[in-house]
Structures are given as structure tokens and as C-alpha cells.
Amino acid sequence: MTRDLLTAGINTVRGSAAESLGDLLNHDPDGSRAALIVPHLSRIAADPSLDVRACVAHLLHAAIRRDRRAAADAFAVLVQAPDHLLASPYVSRLAVALMHGDPASVGLLTERMLHSLVAPVRRVGGQVAAPAAMEWETSDLLAKVLAGNDTAQRQGAADVCAASPEHG
């Protein structure tokens, strides 16, 4: 069982600051807040604490609206970490959001998730592979999940497919 990084992160000063910065960017009507924060995304994403990085994913997700490239670059920094981080809800949500503009962008990350030694990460890998197949016609990852016998991967894909009204 993996520790809940997000809960631990929001109970730290840096983690809660990252959450607050993300909230500020979500309510940034003219981009003035983003102009102050975006140049620092990669440095923030490189925080040594996995707990804090789990919260930074919220900030990066909020930054997509103002500077997708900077958010994607910072995401690449963020995930240079142990696999446990990849099971955090904000991280997986951010991966899927980045796929919306460029489905191939997280293919390697999804492969990493699917082959992780950490079962919750493999489940999230299945959860990421499913929308890639259903929405962006990149079915190769989901095909591997369905052809395999990894319970965690298959459960993750089933979670998403069952929740999708047009595919469930």
C-alpha cells in the first residue's frame, strides 16, 4: 500500500502553498498572476519532497490554461521521481489533461506506469490508457492492458470505461 502523498503534502507549508498558487491561477482572469508564477514552474516541480510534488501537480494543471508548454516542461521535471508519485490523483489528472492537446506526450509515462512495481501506479496506468484509447484513438496501450493479466492495470482501465457514459 502506498502512502497518501497528497494528504501529507497539503499538510506541509510548501504543499499548501502550491495548492494555493494553483487556486490563484484557476481564478486569474487576465493572466497577471500566471505571469508571476509560470517562469518558476520547473523549479517548483523539482521540490525534493514527493508530498509537495503531489500538490504541485495541481498548480501545473492550473497553469496549462496560460502556458501549456511551460506546464508540460515542468511536468517532465515533476515525474522525475519514484513511481509512488504517479498514483497521486493530481498527477494522473494532469497527465490526462496534457494528453488532450498532445496524446503522444505522455505515452512513455503511461508505459512507465503500466510497468511499475507499485500496484496502485499500474492501476493509474490503466486509467490513463483507457481515455487515450477512447478519446484519442491511441489504443496500443489499452490493447496491452487488455491482453495482459495484470489485475491492477485491468481494474484501472475498467474504472474509466465503466464511468464513461458513451463507452460504458
Side-chain angles (χ1 to χ4, degrees), residues 9 32 84 87 117 129 136 138 142-143 150:
S32 60
H84 291 74
L117 297 176
W136 305 295
T138 54
L142 184 58
D150 186 285

Side-chain angles (χ1 to χ4, degrees), residues 25 33 57 63-64 68 75 79 83 103 114 118-119 135 139 144 147:
L25 287 189
R33 297 172 187 164
I64 289 174
R68 182 177 197 80
F75 181 69
V79 297
D83 283 358
L114 292 172
V118 182
E135 296 182 34
S139 59
K144 290 177 189 176

Side-chain angles (χ1 to χ4, degrees), residues 7-164:
T7 298
I10 61 175
N11 286 299
T12 67
V13 173
R14 292 189 320 273
S16 94
E19 286 263 331
S20 295
L21 288 172
D23 291 345
L24 286 170
L25 287 189
N26 280 330
H27 303 284
D28 183 12
D30 62 0
S32 60
R33 297 172 187 164
L36 297 171
I37 297 168
V38 167
H40 305 284
L41 292 178
S42 289
R43 187 173 56 83
I44 295 168
D47 195 283
S49 166
L50 288 184
D51 301 339
V52 172
R53 284 184 184 212
C55 297
V56 170
H58 172 67
L59 168 60
L60 300 182
H61 191 265
I64 289 174
R65 187 176 80 172
R66 296 294 177 185
D67 191 335
R68 182 177 197 80
R69 174 60 24 220
D73 290 347
F75 181 69
V77 172
L78 183 84
V79 297
Q80 292 175 9
D83 283 358
H84 291 74
L85 178 65
L86 305 177
S88 184
Y90 286 166
V91 175
S92 59
R93 186 181 77 172
L94 175 57
V96 171
L98 287 169
M99 287 174 74
H100 278 285
D102 181 12
S105 67
V106 293
L108 291 175
L109 178 67
T110 306
E111 286 278 359
R112 177 180 160 195
M113 290 174 168
L114 292 172
H115 294 96
S116 176
L117 297 176
V118 182
V121 174
R122 292 194 313 275
R123 184 172 184 162
V124 170
Q127 292 170 343
V128 172
M134 293 188 301
E135 296 182 34
W136 305 295
E137 299 177 13
T138 54
S139 59
D140 55 324
L141 292 172
L142 184 58
K144 290 177 189 176
V145 169
L146 297 176
N149 61 1
D150 186 285
T151 303
Q153 292 176 356
R154 293 171 68 91
Q155 183 62 53
D159 292 342
V160 173
C161 292
S164 175

